[in-house]
Amino acid sequence: MEPVYLTFILMLSIFVGFELITKVPATLHTPLMSGANAISGVTVVGAISLAGTGQQDLANWLGAAAVALASINVVGGYMVTDRMLAMFKKKGA
Amino acid sequence: MSGLAIQMAYVVAAALFIFGLKLLGSPASARRGNLLSAVGMLLAVVAALLDQGIVEYQWILLGFAVGGVIGAAAARLVQMTSMPEMVALFNGFGGMASLLVGAAALGTSTATFTLVTIVLSILIGGLTFTGSLVAWGKLSEKIGSGAIMFSGQKIVNSLIVLAILASAVMFCLQPENLNWLFLLIALSLLFGVMAVIPIGGADMPVVISLLNSYSGLAACAAGFAVNNNILIVAGALVGAAGIILTQIMCKAMNRSLSNVLFSGFGSVKTTAT
């Protein structure tokens, strides 16, 4: 894919990201941080494409290690966020 | 599944991430937002698995199993009061994953544009990893939570930055010489430590938020390195949202971001005089 096209996507995503976060109450700072952190584990998708090439080379091993690390980020991130938010709900009720 | 269907799945996943982040910003819908973005992640992972380039699944499944079990166990077992350092730790692993993806992409292309994006994913991923580890150590009081300073710290840090720039340029010029790659990785890891040790424990949540933004940018850079749209979009989203959130958190403490980041250096000056 063309670098220019990818850079367009990058620019638009950054603007969306800036616009998304407005007037967040202080209690939600940590869960929001944690939730966004889980999304940054999306690098698992890139790792999958490297780990599944079937070539037993260095890139393959690095990809597999990256899948493991990114999975920790994704699974742990979403679960921790959910736990935090579940606690808020109980307090509010 | 054809390439087009996979790309469309990525578009839907990106939309779910955006909605998820939006809903996370208000108390009533926050939990739904988190769930929505988790569904988006699942969709992106399934789409990636169905790619025709994937011919072998055992390493992927092994990675999932190891990472999933560790992540789930850590998320379940952690005390409510130690949530922020857990987030920091997860964040560090995400940064390391981006570093590995960037390094592994080296075999695919030696175009200058790709090399630059590889440098960025290694640099940002590496400093996110060690920076997050230090933040985790400080918050969980595995290491002293105070600001760690020594004389000449500014000079040391400037030298590291210069060395990073030099090794990045050399790497782009001679991608076949792996020593530059290793040097770059080592310097990035070192820089992450140096950037976070002068910041006091009370300021750690802001630092973690900033590192979270960095891990998004690292994923974004890795996305450029392996030509993957969803990595670029989701990474940039997290990067931008993380920066804004960091600013909001600073404002809530009546401080500026630079004040938080360089407070350690400032107190060196005040203790010296």
Side-chain angles (χ1 to χ4, degrees):
Chain A
M1 244 171 292
E2 279 180 60
V4 178
Y5 166 62
L6 294 175
T7 312
F8 257 114
I9 299 180
L10 171 71
M11 183 196 71
L12 293 173
S13 315
I14 290 176
F15 273 108
V16 173
F18 278 147
E19 292 302 319
L20 274 177
I21 312 295
T22 43
K23 281 183 273 171
V24 182
T27 49
L28 279 179
H29 285 174
T30 313
L32 185 59
M33 181 167 82
S34 175
N37 172 38
I39 296 179
S40 73
V42 75
T43 197
V44 70
V45 170
I48 287 172
S49 66
L50 293 165
T53 52
Q55 297 155 344
Q56 307 282 330
D57 57 3
L58 186 63
N60 205 198
W61 305 119
L62 290 178
V67 168
L69 287 169
S71 304
I72 297 180
N73 191 2
V74 170
V75 175
Y78 281 120
M79 284 179 67
V80 149
T81 313
D82 195 60
R83 257 186 83 188
M84 275 188 241
L85 293 169
M87 188 182 64
F88 281 126
K89 211 160 215 177
K90 248 182 266 161
K91 261 187 188 166
Chain B
M1 197 153 73
S2 75
L4 182 67
I6 291 173
Q7 293 300 324
M8 291 314 275
Y10 285 161
V11 172
V12 176
L16 287 170
F17 288 151
I18 293 171
F19 271 123
L21 273 178
K22 182 85 206 157
L23 293 180
L24 264 174
S26 108
S29 59
R31 210 171 171 191
R32 203 151 29 97
N34 188 47
L35 195 67
L36 216 55
S37 99
V39 170
M41 185 64 76
L42 186 67
L43 183 64
V45 167
V46 170
L49 285 174
L50 294 174
D51 194 289
Q52 279 157 350
I54 310 288
V55 294
E56 207 186 56
Y57 285 91
Q58 70 261 39
W59 294 114
I60 300 175
L61 292 177
L62 185 68
F64 276 151
V66 172
V69 167
I70 295 176
R76 272 267 149 254
L77 298 175
V78 65
Q79 298 280 312
M80 272 300 171
T81 47
S82 3
M83 286 292 189
E85 55 253 45
M86 204 67 231
V87 174
L89 203 54
F90 288 151
N91 189 40
F93 290 141
M96 192 64 194
S98 295
L99 184 153
L100 292 179
V101 170
L106 182 58
T108 57
S109 160
T110 50
T112 311
F113 182 77
T114 311
L115 291 177
V116 171
T117 57
I118 289 174
V119 166
L120 285 176
S121 55
I122 288 174
L123 180 60
I124 309 174
L127 81 88
T128 304
F129 177 62
T130 48
S132 299
L133 285 188
V134 173
W136 169 74
K138 283 196 175 193
L139 274 178
S140 59
E141 286 173 352
K142 296 241 178 337
I143 55 177
S145 63
I148 300 172
M149 279 157 299
F150 52 88
S151 57
Q153 198 163 14
K154 259 186 198 164
I155 300 165
V156 172
N157 286 348
S158 315
L159 284 176
I160 294 175
V161 171
L162 285 177
I164 286 176
L165 285 176
S167 59
V169 170
M170 288 313 293
F171 170 73
C172 289
L173 293 176
Q174 306 177 336
E176 67 285 347
N177 186 346
L178 287 182
N179 287 334
W180 298 120
L181 177 74
F182 297 138
L183 184 64
L184 190 64
I185 293 176
L187 285 169
S188 311
L189 296 175
L190 179 64
F191 188 60
V193 175
M194 296 304 287
V196 179
I197 53 168
I199 304 169
D203 289 333
M204 272 309 131
V206 175
V207 175
I208 294 173
S209 177
L210 190 67
L211 287 169
N212 173 36
S213 165
Y214 287 167
S215 75
L217 295 177
C220 183
F224 274 100
V226 297
N227 261 328
N228 191 309
N229 279 337
I230 189 70
L231 257 69
I232 296 175
V233 172
L237 273 178
V238 175
I243 290 279
I244 297 292
L245 186 62
T246 310
Q247 247 171 12
I248 294 177
M249 286 168 85
C250 285
K251 246 182 221 161
M253 302 198 310
N254 256 328
R255 313 255 307 264
S256 73
L257 183 55
S258 60
N259 184 279
V260 171
L261 290 184
F262 301 113
S263 57
F265 296 118
S267 57
V268 155
K269 231 180 274 164
T270 45
T271 46
T273 45

